Amino acid sequence: MIETKNKQQSQFDIQGDLPDAVRVTNAMEGFLSEFGPQASSYMNACIRCGLCAEACHFYLETGDAKYTPIHKVKPFEEAYHRTTGPFSWLAGLLGMAPAITLNELEEWEELIYDSCTLCGRCTLVCPMGIDIAELVKEARSGMYKAGLMPDRLAQITRNAESKHSPFGEPREFITAIRKIEKEFAIKLPVDKPKADLLLTLAPGDLEEHHASVHVLAKILDHLGIDWTLSSVAFEATNFGYLSGSTEVQSELTCRLIDKAREIGATTLLLPECGHAWGAARWEAARWYGAPIDDIRIMHTLELLAENITSGALKVKTVNDSASFHDPCQQIRRGGLVEAPRIIMKALGLELRELEDHGEASFCCGGGGGVLANARAEPLRLKAFDLKRRQFEATDADHFLTSCGQCRLQFDKGAKATDWDRHVESLLELVGRNMILK
Amino acid sequence: MTIIELLEGPLWTASLTIFAVLAIWRLGAILLSGRRRVEARPAGSPSAGAIRLIFGHFIPQKPFRRNGKVWFVTLAGYAFHLGLFAVLFFAAPHITFIHDNLIGLEWAALPRWGFIIAAEFAFIGLLALWIRRFVDPVVRLISRTDDHIVAGLTFLVMLSGCMALAQTVEVLRAIHLGLVEIWLIYFPFSSMMHTFTWPLSRGFTGARAGRRGTRM
């Protein structure tokens, strides 16, 4: 059981009772544990031009220099150069011990967890092409091992580890599924011993976005796919990925892949979620030591776009105008930029792009675990305001997106600021307009 | 042995050797560090992505083309780098020095007016970027001692080079050579190594983006 202490006034939380020196050592080891040529090249390429700040929603909305993306990994960068960098041997000879302190790590906790959504927009402007989000992710691995992360995120990660999912245990999942079945008068297949497709869901789908589950079931049935949910492998979100725990990340991902293999599924379908796509599609290979070639890890956006393109899924035209928020982990970091646009075109929507869209889109402000981090709310609302302004400038009828976390962030932002607009799920819009045989 | 003979002889050889060996060491340490991550089945071409990003980031990306700070850094950066490149490889005394002390080859030199324009570009670019380190809150916060040493040392190398251009006062030439040798020795330890690391960082990011079928 991990003890949690909280020092509210300093904007950092601390878990457990590790000695200070152990925390510092763990932080460094965690940071450097996955270091390879890619991260090393980043550490040796930065020229401190500061342009990354010009891409970051948190810097742009606050004007506070401390939110400059590359500044968020400063203690780790210094420690790298002194402990494992190309001239660390010289630092050793000169008696230059790692200068990093626990106080410094505590101070940096907010920068690593509260003010970075791992959106990667800063890479677009970096003259050196440094993937700073990837470095922040490595820094989170260190902070997790040091027991220095937001309490709420630590708690959710513990739940993911001990209770199977942040949402709850398998029996709670079954209860939620029964509730959705009752709400929509449908039957959802659970724990079939064999199926071609394993559908996974996010806690947001089970708690609030029930219509998304209904639509997914309706589409899969309409397409004649043999599919199932699993009470022991339903969780698509990955709080190991967000918190920095590679152990939890690996466990959660492998649970899905292993289950899919067990039931003979050839497709693992991910819901409208951003980081689930990054964790499963782009990082699963890390845990198996080889690319996942026997199972297609598929996003809902791909399912819709491919079946609309092939004609297997037909939709009525909506004839309204719409604007689309591109979820960072699906689009800029995920490669799905065309899929939502194919779907919106099929729906006959007049697409009014946000000023910054596609791979250049700003994050909603709630990604990277920031939405789950209660103390980050003031910062989140500032990022929300940027998106609100961009959407209002389009004057579109619909504000669509394809990520449950982004939807929750927009809903919370709208509620906190009395904004009268509502962000809609692209999947649910398809569900309302699909033509059944 | 006179000071100038020392600077042109053993000290030059030593500084150049230190520069070459340590620069190669640093690049080797980067490329051989840790382990390569096992990557997912590609959705696009990693090599095409790497090439696209290596060359694409020579100019600001579309979303930032209306950003004054981005253009300031880009233009000052090009002024400095192109000016320095022209001065380094096309100033008549440098061509003679390279011919006599390094590779035995020579090529056409810049005329004097060309040298002056190139040097002015280099000075303006360098000073603009260095001053920005003091006045811009973001860059002031993230700048390290190394960044100021690099800028200051490069400025002194360029200034002493201009002063020694006529090659009539030996002491000025000796000062320039001495500063160049310090600059060479410091180079592999400093952020000047971005001269060699930029294709690596751009290439790695581009390859990952290409694999995922996205553009960064």
Side-chain angles (χ1 to χ4, degrees):
Chain A
M1 182 77 183
I2 301 169
E3 248 179 69
T4 303
K5 292 181 277 183
N6 196 348
K7 298 178 185 175
Q8 286 291 341
Q9 70 278 18
S10 305
Q11 278 289 298
F12 71 85
D13 299 333
I14 190 160
Q15 292 86 40
D17 52 6
L18 292 171
D20 292 1
V22 175
R23 285 187 196 276
V24 173
T25 306
N26 286 0
M28 286 310 103
E29 285 177 1
F31 177 63
L32 297 168
S33 62
E34 297 290 326
F35 245 63
Q38 181 160 348
S40 297
S41 76
Y42 296 156
M43 288 285 159
N44 288 279
C46 181
I47 49 170
R48 269 86 67 179
C49 67
L51 289 186
C52 47
E54 298 302 309
C56 177
H57 45 291
F58 291 124
Y59 168 74
L60 293 172
E61 289 301 293
T62 63
D64 192 334
K66 74 176 180 178
Y67 296 130
T68 303
I70 197 66
H71 181 61
K72 295 168 188 173
V73 291
K74 184 186 171 197
F76 293 94
E77 188 190 344
E78 286 177 357
Y80 159 80
H81 285 300
R82 291 182 185 212
T83 56
T84 55
F87 296 118
S88 54
W89 53 272
L90 190 60
L93 282 177
L94 297 172
M96 293 165 71
I100 196 164
T101 64
L102 182 63
N103 284 344
E104 208 175 358
L105 290 176
E106 287 170 345
E107 195 186 325
W108 251 261
E109 188 185 306
E110 183 214 351
L111 299 180
I112 290 168
Y113 284 103
D114 300 27
S115 68
C116 181
T117 53
L118 308 176
C119 79
R121 194 170 188 271
C122 43
T123 302
L124 292 179
V125 75
C126 176
M128 299 292 140
I130 296 172
D131 189 346
I132 301 172
E134 202 58 36
L135 293 176
V136 171
K137 241 173 111 229
E138 305 287 5
R140 285 187 179 190
S141 289
M143 296 296 272
Y144 178 84
K145 284 189 165 53
L148 289 165
M149 61 188 293
D151 281 341
R152 178 82 182 120
L153 203 53
Q155 193 181 46
I156 295 173
T157 308
R158 282 202 299 277
N159 283 350
E161 199 175 13
S162 62
K163 290 174 131 188
H164 193 90
S165 152
F167 175 76
E169 293 175 353
R171 60 186 165 79
E172 289 162 307
F173 168 75
I174 297 287
T175 306
I177 289 297
R178 297 294 167 248
K179 199 173 162 191
I180 295 169
E181 286 180 328
K182 200 172 167 189
E183 187 179 342
F184 295 96
I186 52 170
K187 185 76 188 150
L188 298 169
V190 180
D191 291 335
K192 281 165 64 175
K194 291 285 170 197
D196 293 335
L197 181 146
L198 177 64
L199 172 64
T200 59
L201 299 171
D205 299 321
L206 295 165
E207 286 162 357
E208 296 185 42
H209 305 142
H210 290 180
S212 290
V213 184
H214 174 221
V215 169
L216 273 171
K218 198 163 77 166
I219 290 170
L220 291 172
D221 287 341
H222 172 79
L223 294 172
I225 294 171
D226 175 21
W227 66 280
T228 186
L229 288 157
S230 166
S231 63
V232 293
F234 61 86
E235 182 56 76
T237 61
N238 195 316
F239 273 84
Y241 181 91
L242 300 176
S243 66
S245 169
T246 45
E247 293 81 7
V248 176
Q249 182 184 342
S250 159
E251 190 188 328
L252 296 178
T253 298
C254 293
R255 190 186 291 163
L256 303 182
I257 306 267
D258 292 347
K259 187 56 161 177
R261 283 179 174 154
E262 183 192 316
I263 64 168
T266 52
T267 305
L268 176 69
L269 183 61
L270 301 170
E272 278 197 325
C273 179
H275 78 269
W277 177 241
R281 173 65 177 92
W282 299 117
E283 298 210 359
R286 287 173 69 183
W287 319 122
Y288 289 91
I292 312 297
D293 287 328
D294 56 333
I295 295 167
R296 178 172 181 196
I297 300 167
M298 187 186 217
H299 195 272
T300 294
L301 280 176
E302 292 180 297
L303 176 85
L304 298 179
E306 287 176 17
N307 284 289
I308 282 172
T309 305
S310 71
L313 187 62
K314 294 194 183 337
V315 287
K316 291 180 278 189
T317 53
V318 178
N319 293 326
D320 284 340
S321 59
S323 191
F324 183 74
H325 162 69
D326 292 275
C328 313
Q329 303 300 326
Q330 292 167 19
I331 310 298
R332 179 165 44 250
R333 299 181 74 77
L336 298 175
V337 69
E338 293 303 326
R341 285 159 179 83
I342 290 169
I343 301 163
M344 287 185 284
K345 192 177 175 191
L347 285 164
L349 292 164
E350 178 209 336
L351 180 59
R352 296 182 187 174
E353 296 279 21
L354 298 174
E355 185 184 342
D356 295 283
H357 60 270
E359 280 126 349
S361 175
F362 276 104
C363 174
C364 64
V370 176
L371 185 67
N373 178 2
R375 71 176 190 215
E377 189 185 7
L379 263 179
R380 273 207 315 268
L381 289 177
K382 286 185 186 295
F384 162 78
D385 202 48
L386 192 159
K387 297 299 296 197
R388 180 189 59 75
R389 293 197 307 271
Q390 289 207 340
F391 171 65
E392 284 179 348
T394 68
D395 200 26
D397 300 317
H398 299 269
F399 188 19
L400 300 166
T401 194
S402 53
C403 172
Q405 290 284 298
C406 299
R407 282 171 74 190
L408 292 171
Q409 154 72 354
F410 286 125
D411 287 346
K412 286 187 177 188
K415 195 175 169 190
T417 58
D418 288 329
W419 194 44
D420 60 356
R421 299 303 300 265
H422 175 65
V423 70
E424 298 169 60
S425 152
L426 183 58
L427 168 68
E428 290 177 21
L429 189 63
V430 168
R432 287 198 295 275
N433 293 284
M434 66 183 280
I435 300 168
L436 295 168
K437 283 173 192 163
Chain B
M1 188 180 273
T2 63
I3 289 179
I4 198 79
E5 283 170 341
L6 191 68
L7 287 164
E8 280 188 336
L11 288 181
W12 168 253
T13 307
S15 58
L16 197 64
T17 305
I18 291 170
F19 163 78
V21 169
L22 293 185
I24 291 168
W25 170 270
R26 188 162 171 182
L27 287 172
I30 294 166
L31 291 170
L32 300 174
S33 66
R35 52 184 178 176
R36 283 181 189 274
R37 188 182 284 185
V38 179
E39 296 284 0
R41 185 172 45 81
S45 163
S47 47
I51 290 166
R52 191 164 50 231
L53 201 138
I54 286 172
F55 292 103
H57 275 227
F58 277 128
I59 52 164
Q61 301 295 289
K62 206 173 167 188
F64 306 100
R65 288 183 192 154
R66 279 169 297 160
N67 186 309
K69 284 187 186 179
V70 171
W71 279 115
F72 179 86
V73 172
T74 304
L75 294 177
Y78 273 115
F80 167 66
H81 285 97
L82 293 176
L84 183 65
F85 179 83
V87 167
L88 191 58
F89 292 106
F90 293 97
H94 288 168
I95 294 172
T96 307
F97 187 85
I98 291 167
H99 175 266
D100 295 347
N101 296 281
L102 287 172
I103 53 174
L105 291 173
E106 57 186 344
W107 50 89
L110 276 174
R112 190 177 174 80
W113 61 265
F115 173 87
I116 291 168
I117 289 173
E120 281 176 354
F121 269 101
F123 272 115
I124 289 168
L126 176 64
L127 289 173
L129 293 170
W130 195 9
I131 290 167
R132 186 168 171 265
R133 291 206 180 276
F134 295 97
V135 298
D136 185 302
V138 164
V139 195
R140 196 167 58 226
L141 177 73
I142 64 174
S143 291
R144 316 280 160 80
T145 309
D146 167 63
D147 300 312
H148 294 292
I149 293 173
V150 165
L153 200 51
T154 306
F155 177 81
L156 289 175
V157 166
M158 285 164 40
L159 184 68
S160 62
C162 289
M163 288 165 70
L165 188 62
Q167 300 193 81
T168 49
V169 184
E170 192 138 286
V171 70
L172 291 177
R173 198 157 155 267
I175 290 171
H176 180 56
L177 257 174
L179 284 166
V180 168
E181 285 163 12
I182 294 169
W183 188 84
L184 278 172
I185 293 167
Y186 187 61
F187 191 112
F189 298 102
S190 73
S191 61
M192 287 189 280
M193 272 298 286
H194 76 267
T195 310
F196 304 118
T197 55
W198 68 266
L200 299 181
S201 58
R202 283 191 194 177
F204 279 124
T205 299
R208 184 168 285 175
R211 175 176 296 277
R212 296 182 179 191
T214 184
R215 287 169 183 259
M216 294 287 268

